[in-house]
Amino acid sequence: MECPIISRIQKVILYETKARFYVVGSNKTETCYRVLKVDRTEPKELVIQDDKAEYSMVQIRNLLTMIKHGNINKDSKLKAGDSPLAKSVSAFGIFGFVRFLEGYYIVLITKRRKAAVLGPHVIYKIEDTAMIYIPNDNIRSSSYSYSEEQRYLKMFQSIDLSSNFYFSYSYDLTHTLQYNMTTAIDPVTLGQPECTESTPPLKVWEQSESESRQKTAEEQKVDSDMGQSAETNKKEEVIYGVRSVPEEKYVWNHFLQRNCKDIIHRDWLILVTHGFVDQRNICVYGKPLYLTLIARRSNQFAGTRFLKRGANCKGDVANEVETEQILHDASITFLERANITSFVQMRGSVPLYWSQDVSKMVPKPPIMIDQIDPYAGVAGRHFNEVLKRYGAPVIILNLVKKKEKKRHESILTDEYKKAVNYLNQFLPPEHALKYISFDMAHISKNKDVLQRMVSFAGKCVKLCGLFVHKSKKVGEEFWQSNSLRGLRGVKTEYGSKQTGVARTNCVDCLDRTNTAQFALGKYALAYQLYILGILKEPKLEFDTVCTKMLEQLYEDQGDTIALQYGGSQLVHRIEGYRKTAPWTAHSKDIMNTISRYYSNTFADLEKQQATNVFLGVFEPVEGKPNIWELPTDFYLHNKDFGAKLTQIRRSYSQWWEVPVYRSLPLPWKQVSKPQTSEVVCVDQVEEKVNLFEEYYRTTELTFFQDIFTHSLYPTFSKDVKPRTAKVESPFTRRVQPERENTVQEVNPNISGKDSTSSTTSTGSESSESSSDEVELLYIDISSSQSDSSADCEGSQNLHKKKDLETKSDYGIDLGEPRTYDMNKYKRYVNLGRACLGNADLLDTRYWTRDWTHRCNRVMDIGVASVFKLGSSYEVEPPPVNKQDQLLYHKYVMCGENGATNPSKDQIRFYKRYISKNMK
């Protein structure tokens, strides 16, 4: 059995002396401690000592006491209240270490909050950080420059670490769910695939004595109470702790941990990603379905809108963001035993050498091709990395304008199409790059764009497939059903794997791209709900609660990415492209347009310089020009440009790497996971792999109102569920009566142009035929028609085949409730409304006269507490009899070791229950 290795250091306290910083880290239960010693006498060097030893609470107290007494100087007199060992900061982890021109700074995470939950894994958002200068105040170098150091410090702190930075102690946020759930080792045979030159051998080792946990007397007593049978079962099953290699392009504190990651223990390192994470709860008649959206922003060629366009010489593109849409059944804690699906897509700038002249004070500067690339070298390097991470096929969804009276955006379309055609000459048809050109700006003037996107959105999802993991084995007949027949991907024993990715781009990769990604996500969500047995057919209409939730998630993601890259929120939203936006949205669009123009004109340069310093693209060196003195940062992001370009140039025909090509259609990074992961043989009760204790935290006192899952976004909110709605299903269309009876007029944009149009572009030609609006290359149209016909045939035969309903997956047959049950439920609802004082909303058709009279008054229903003494100052727990204690003990043992065999009385009672219902 495999379990991810949990980072045990989740609490950090910084102690300060004149000579050293002592960083004391502990686990969540404060039973295991580690210590880092940071030297404060070095003015410009980072000297860290980590003995890699674990301490108990008693040992760490003795160690701190010894340090305190050792720093007392008899000659110096301490002031009242001073201590030779002062507690400086309490934190939740170390973000990293950074240096400018003088000494190093330590950055600590001081505040966090839960952003999402994936099974037993908790994803945190950083709320606040602390930045502390390490060298002592008395130690200064002779060439200390206060003004330059403070300017770099201010520039670094302008990156708001409390805005959209995320981390987790047990889940690798740099990889997709499919990668994290891919098996790294066979626990039975320990079989290893053959090693190649590009993949190192698998690392498996036993746990060393220094790494093993020494149990205290209290813990040994608790273990002895668990029983010999449970202890025997745990020893029979071998547990492997797995730690995969993170994807460095999504680790935003990689540069800050560069100087210490080889010195300190791995538990000290926290991988921080930048982007967007949010979660919603689709409650289907009490069953929680968590819809999670994770956006990972790349740290390669990162920057602001006009200053970072196209790609660099390594193939890294600007504004590259990976979006993962996850839907899982939250009624089961552990992901390996739950039903969970995911769909991954990405966005990124056009992979060409192009830019826009920012010296001209115009809203949209003209587009220029900086370098002619006839052999598509930069595009080849980019798509090689895409194939390496996602597999094949790669579907390119180009939303840039195709034809214009005065060429502007169409310059990119023509060059992009040439590059794709050249690269596809050297790939087989089954792995070729699929190219779709969709002139979204032209179509949105007179038509509903999202309705036109349905055709190729479904094709993209079906070509790539979904990642599916079910709790039970999936047979071939499951995928041969009419509704799933056209869904591709690699089928597995418990589901399927997504192969390939849909890559969407426009000019900015903001407004139009976000709407297109929502269209793909909506189509994928319908299949996700269908596979989990929630929907009877993979169709999800607009104006439903579920679709509204998804739309809010994608709009929040679009606003976040637009603020990070463009300096303002989205200018054109999903409802604007649907022609359903109210006229009052004009004022907000105008303000966003002005804010984006101001940010691009006056603030982007400083923001770009701060990003370069934060990510280590530019490292300040004494005696060399500062970053604000450089005329351009082109050579910072293109360090291999020029003479060194020949060293990384591949063959003009073989633009892909051989291991990447051989692993297709699966991604090479997923195939090579067994060779790159670190595996440790551990015991099941070890804290580093105990996800049950990590999630439920049985040693802590918690309140139900403070639990994250209880405070998730409710399903039926006021803005998505009209009061006139009678059906409570989140998949029923909900349209306001005034909207349903009126014809929607076309809602033009502020300037009558698209968000990426320029003053030098007059838009697409109005005489262009509808057949030229969508261009598909290397995509089989006949298969699309056969898939659509199969879908129609499947929808007609759904009443005959019900093998994907909730009864087969969850054992519950949802049908129409009886009249008696409906009357009982309505009385229950009326009682609740009366308790809240809403007597004017009562439905009195099923009430007697006495009940109607009583509910006209507000009811005051109190709860009799079982506590003898209960207040905010003191609580006296009630007595618990032995029968209840025994019942709770059995419940805990059931969670630890699984369900036990039922007794004869229980079997007899169950048979009577079944026979009674059968009659």
Side-chain angles (χ1 to χ4, degrees):
M1 181 180 177
E2 294 184 11
C3 293
I5 297 179
I6 305 170
S7 178
R8 300 179 65 185
I9 298 179
Q10 301 183 13
K11 297 180 180 179
V12 173
I13 299 178
L14 183 67
Y15 292 93
E16 177 184 357
T17 64
K18 290 185 177 181
R20 290 185 181 90
F21 275 136
Y22 293 91
V23 186
V24 180
S26 67
N27 57 355
K28 59 180 179 297
T29 57
E30 297 184 0
T31 58
C32 178
Y33 294 84
R34 291 184 182 272
V35 179
L36 285 181
K37 301 177 183 178
V38 184
D39 193 0
R40 302 187 65 191
T41 59
E42 290 291 338
K44 293 186 178 182
E45 298 294 332
L46 180 63
V47 180
I48 301 178
Q49 297 179 4
D50 185 7
D51 54 7
K52 308 290 176 58
E54 295 184 356
Y55 301 90
S56 64
M57 181 178 291
V58 177
Q59 292 173 338
I60 201 67
R61 287 179 178 176
N62 294 336
L63 177 63
L64 294 176
T65 302
M66 181 179 62
I67 295 173
K68 179 179 180 180
H69 291 300
N71 283 272
I72 296 177
N73 191 353
K74 297 181 179 180
D75 298 333
S76 61
K77 297 182 180 179
L78 295 176
K79 297 180 181 179
D82 291 346
S83 174
L85 181 66
K87 179 180 177 181
S88 181
V89 179
S90 298
F92 296 101
I94 300 176
F95 191 91
F97 300 87
V98 64
R99 174 184 176 270
F100 308 120
L101 295 174
E102 297 301 322
Y104 275 86
Y105 298 82
I106 181 173
V107 185
L108 301 174
I109 302 172
T110 56
K111 288 184 181 180
R112 68 182 186 188
R113 70 169 178 86
K114 291 183 179 179
V117 171
L118 288 178
H121 308 284
V122 180
I123 301 175
Y124 295 97
K125 179 181 180 296
I126 297 178
E127 291 292 316
D128 196 8
T129 57
M131 192 171 182
I132 302 174
Y133 189 62
I134 293 178
N136 199 333
D137 295 337
N138 299 327
I139 299 175
R140 297 286 184 182
S141 62
S142 58
S143 60
Y144 179 75
S145 177
Y146 180 81
S147 60
E148 294 180 353
E149 178 74 12
Q150 290 300 314
R151 186 168 180 177
Y152 276 116
L153 177 61
K154 185 178 179 181
M155 186 181 298
F156 182 88
Q157 292 177 341
S158 66
I159 302 294
D160 188 7
L161 297 181
S162 63
S163 175
N164 308 115
F165 284 88
Y166 304 90
F167 70 95
S168 176
Y169 297 111
S170 59
Y171 186 80
D172 190 354
L173 277 175
T174 64
H175 287 292
T176 61
L177 177 69
Q178 176 174 314
Y179 181 92
N180 289 332
M181 295 191 67
T182 299
T183 303
I185 186 173
D186 187 354
V188 179
T189 62
L190 295 179
Q192 303 182 28
E194 296 182 1
C195 300
T196 61
E197 296 180 357
S198 58
T199 56
L202 178 66
K203 304 175 183 178
V204 183
W205 63 84
E206 296 289 339
Q207 191 177 10
S208 60
E209 294 182 0
S210 61
E211 294 282 336
S212 62
R213 178 185 176 188
Q214 299 179 356
K215 298 182 179 180
T216 60
E218 295 180 357
E219 292 173 335
Q220 294 177 358
K221 183 178 180 181
V222 172
D223 293 341
S224 62
D225 294 339
M226 299 300 293
Q228 296 181 356
S229 60
E231 186 177 351
T232 304
N233 294 333
K234 292 175 184 176
K235 291 183 179 180
E236 291 178 356
E237 186 178 13
V238 181
I239 305 298
Y240 294 95
V242 178
R243 177 181 284 131
S244 58
V245 178
E247 185 67 36
E248 292 184 358
K249 69 185 299 184
Y250 297 116
V251 182
W252 277 65
N253 61 337
H254 172 72
F255 172 72
L256 278 70
Q257 296 178 348
R258 182 188 58 176
N259 295 327
C260 64
K261 65 178 182 179
D262 297 331
I263 302 175
I264 63 179
H265 192 271
R266 180 61 180 81
D267 286 348
W268 289 101
L269 302 178
I270 294 180
L271 305 178
V272 179
T273 61
H274 185 42
F276 175 81
V277 176
D278 204 356
Q279 193 171 56
R280 296 288 187 269
N281 179 14
I282 307 175
C283 184
V284 183
Y285 297 104
K287 175 175 284 296
L289 295 175
Y290 286 177
L291 177 61
T292 311
L293 197 66
I294 301 176
R296 305 175 181 91
R297 187 176 178 86
S298 174
N299 58 20
Q300 302 296 315
F301 205 53
T304 54
R305 184 184 176 199
F306 286 136
L307 299 180
K308 286 294 164 285
R309 293 295 207 186
N312 60 7
C313 62
K314 295 182 180 180
D316 303 315
V317 297
N319 198 21
E320 181 179 350
V321 182
E322 176 186 270
T323 300
E324 184 176 15
Q325 178 179 306
I326 302 174
L327 180 70
H328 77 284
D329 182 4
S331 59
I332 301 176
T333 302
F334 299 99
L335 298 180
E336 294 78 10
R337 304 174 186 175
N339 298 324
I340 184 168
T341 66
S342 70
F343 177 72
V344 179
Q345 53 183 321
M346 65 171 297
R347 70 174 72 184
S349 185
V350 178
L352 302 171
Y353 291 116
W354 66 279
S355 63
Q356 290 181 271
D357 187 7
V358 296
S359 60
K360 299 179 181 179
M361 295 291 293
V362 293
K364 300 288 181 179
I367 294 176
M368 300 178 297
I369 302 297
D370 298 332
Q371 180 180 348
I372 301 299
D373 194 3
Y375 300 104
V378 62
R381 284 186 286 273
H382 171 71
F383 285 111
N384 177 72
E385 294 297 323
V386 175
L387 291 173
K388 183 185 295 185
R389 181 169 174 85
Y390 305 105
V394 176
I395 304 174
I396 302 170
L397 181 54
N398 185 19
L399 305 178
V400 182
K401 293 178 181 179
K402 295 172 55 178
K403 294 183 179 180
E404 299 170 303
K405 294 181 180 179
K406 189 173 182 180
R407 285 168 55 83
H408 178 64
E409 294 185 13
S410 57
I411 299 175
L412 297 178
T413 301
D414 297 339
E415 294 294 329
Y416 200 6
K417 185 178 177 181
K418 291 178 183 178
V420 173
N421 290 332
Y422 177 83
L423 296 176
N424 276 332
Q425 297 179 83
F426 314 106
L427 282 179
E430 63 271 15
H431 300 326
L433 305 176
K434 315 296 183 182
Y435 180 82
I436 301 175
S437 180
F438 184 72
D439 196 344
M440 190 172 176
H442 174 69
I443 299 175
S444 62
K445 292 182 178 181
N446 302 312
K447 301 175 183 178
D448 188 350
V449 175
L450 292 177
Q451 294 297 335
R452 294 294 304 274
M453 282 185 175
V454 170
S455 58
F456 64 81
K459 190 62 181 176
C460 293
V461 174
K462 289 182 178 180
L463 283 174
C464 297
L466 302 171
F467 170 69
V468 179
H469 178 83
K470 306 205 75 175
S471 58
K472 300 179 181 179
K473 293 184 178 181
V474 179
E476 188 66 24
E477 64 278 0
F478 177 82
W479 300 108
Q480 291 301 323
S481 61
N482 292 325
S483 299
L484 298 177
R485 189 173 298 170
L487 194 64
R488 299 185 184 180
V490 177
K491 304 302 184 290
T492 61
E493 188 178 10
Y494 288 90
S496 67
K497 293 183 179 180
Q498 178 180 344
T499 55
V501 68
R503 186 192 187 278
T504 311
N505 73 270
C506 55
V507 176
D508 297 328
C509 299
L510 295 178
D511 301 334
R512 288 178 283 182
T513 299
N514 196 72
T515 303
Q517 286 196 335
F518 165 72
L520 294 174
K522 174 181 172 293
Y523 201 94
L525 181 60
Y527 270 98
Q528 290 176 303
L529 292 168
Y530 177 73
I531 290 174
L532 295 186
I534 305 301
L535 296 180
K536 291 185 178 181
E537 54 180 338
K539 291 184 179 180
L540 194 60
E541 296 183 357
F542 285 101
D543 299 318
T544 64
V545 174
C546 183
T547 308
K548 188 64 176 178
M549 281 186 176
L550 186 69
E551 181 180 341
Q552 290 175 351
L553 284 175
Y554 274 93
E555 285 204 345
D556 292 344
Q557 175 202 234
D559 287 337
T560 302
I561 296 175
L563 284 169
Q564 296 167 3
Y565 181 67
S568 71
Q569 294 182 347
L570 291 174
V571 175
H572 300 283
R573 301 181 174 273
I574 298 173
E575 58 181 7
Y577 285 107
R578 286 190 61 204
K579 311 303 179 184
T580 59
W583 288 96
T584 55
H586 282 319
S587 59
K588 187 175 182 180
D589 291 344
I590 293 173
M591 293 304 299
N592 289 334
T593 304
I594 297 174
S595 176
R596 182 175 296 185
Y597 177 75
Y598 175 82
S599 177
N600 299 154
T601 306
F602 301 104
D604 275 6
L605 181 59
E606 295 182 359
K607 187 176 179 181
Q608 181 66 57
Q609 293 175 353
T611 304
N612 292 337
V613 172
F614 181 84
L615 295 177
V617 178
F618 176 85
E619 298 184 50
V621 179
E622 187 177 352
K624 293 187 177 182
N626 296 310
I627 190 172
W628 53 83
E629 298 173 353
L630 298 178
T632 178
D633 64 347
F634 175 82
Y635 293 100
L636 297 178
H637 293 272
N638 296 271
K639 296 181 179 179
D640 296 324
F641 191 80
K644 295 183 180 180
L645 189 60
T646 57
Q647 301 177 6
I648 63 174
R649 178 178 294 167
R650 303 189 182 96
S651 170
Y652 290 126
S653 59
Q654 184 183 320
W655 54 269
W656 32 261
E657 298 177 9
V658 176
V660 176
Y661 178 78
R662 290 178 178 176
S663 64
L664 296 179
L666 287 173
W668 176 81
K669 291 195 174 181
Q670 178 180 319
V671 175
S672 62
K673 183 180 179 181
Q675 287 80 27
T676 57
S677 300
E678 299 178 358
V679 182
V680 185
C681 300
V682 295
D683 191 5
Q684 188 176 7
V685 297
E686 283 288 335
E687 186 180 2
K688 64 171 63 177
V689 295
N690 194 346
L691 292 174
F692 181 87
E693 181 66 27
E694 172 69 18
Y695 178 73
Y696 288 101
R697 299 179 180 265
T698 57
T699 58
E700 297 182 5
L701 177 63
T702 57
F703 297 93
F704 186 75
Q705 291 79 4
D706 299 335
I707 298 177
F708 175 76
T709 55
H710 180 261
S711 60
L712 274 179
Y713 191 91
T715 301
F716 305 109
S717 57
K718 295 181 180 179
D719 57 340
V720 296
K721 180 179 179 297
R723 296 179 60 182
T724 57
K726 297 180 180 180
V727 182
E728 299 295 328
S729 172
F731 312 111
T732 303
R733 204 162 168 267
R734 306 184 187 279
V735 183
Q736 298 289 351
E738 58 273 11
R739 259 188 61 188
E740 197 171 18
N741 298 329
T742 57
V743 179
Q744 292 293 333
E745 298 182 0
V746 176
N747 184 12
N749 295 331
I750 303 167
S751 59
K753 300 179 182 180
D754 181 71
S755 60
T756 53
S757 62
S758 69
T759 55
T760 60
S761 175
T762 57
S764 302
E765 296 180 0
S766 59
S767 61
E768 185 181 356
S769 61
S770 60
S771 61
D772 294 336
E773 292 171 351
V774 182
E775 181 182 4
L776 295 90
L777 297 180
Y778 309 98
I779 296 180
D780 189 5
I781 303 297
S782 60
S783 63
S784 176
Q785 295 174 354
S786 62
D787 291 342
S788 60
S789 62
D791 292 342
C792 296
E793 181 182 356
S795 61
Q796 295 174 0
N797 298 330
L798 276 174
H799 65 281
K800 298 180 181 179
K801 295 185 178 182
K802 299 183 178 180
D803 45 341
L804 286 178
E805 292 182 352
T806 52
K807 184 177 181 179
S808 60
D809 286 334
Y810 302 103
I812 301 175
D813 189 7
L814 295 178
E816 293 293 333
R818 297 178 299 176
T819 305
Y820 173 78
D821 295 334
M822 286 300 301
N823 294 339
K824 185 177 180 181
Y825 177 73
K826 289 178 179 179
R827 289 197 297 269
Y828 170 76
V829 172
N830 288 331
L831 179 62
R833 290 174 175 174
C835 295
L836 296 176
N838 299 328
D840 55 333
L841 301 178
L842 298 180
D843 188 357
T844 59
R845 290 179 293 174
Y846 307 95
W847 286 45
T848 62
R849 183 177 301 177
D850 183 49
W851 270 102
T852 305
H853 175 70
R854 271 189 271 174
C855 285
N856 286 331
R857 296 176 287 109
V858 177
M859 296 184 180
D860 186 11
I861 300 179
V863 180
S865 176
V866 297
F867 292 87
K868 296 181 180 179
L869 177 62
S871 66
S872 58
Y873 302 99
E874 185 178 1
V875 174
E876 181 180 348
V880 182
N881 54 37
K882 293 184 178 180
Q883 184 178 1
D884 294 339
Q885 294 179 8
L886 181 62
L887 180 64
Y888 179 74
H889 180 71
K890 290 181 178 180
Y891 172 76
V892 173
M893 295 300 296
C894 180
E896 288 280 343
N897 307 318
T900 58
N901 296 328
S903 62
K904 294 182 179 180
D905 295 338
Q906 292 174 342
I907 296 176
R908 196 179 301 111
F909 177 79
Y910 181 71
K911 288 181 178 180
R912 289 200 306 268
Y913 172 75
I914 294 298
S915 60
K916 182 178 179 181
N917 290 338
M918 292 296 293
K919 294 179 182 179

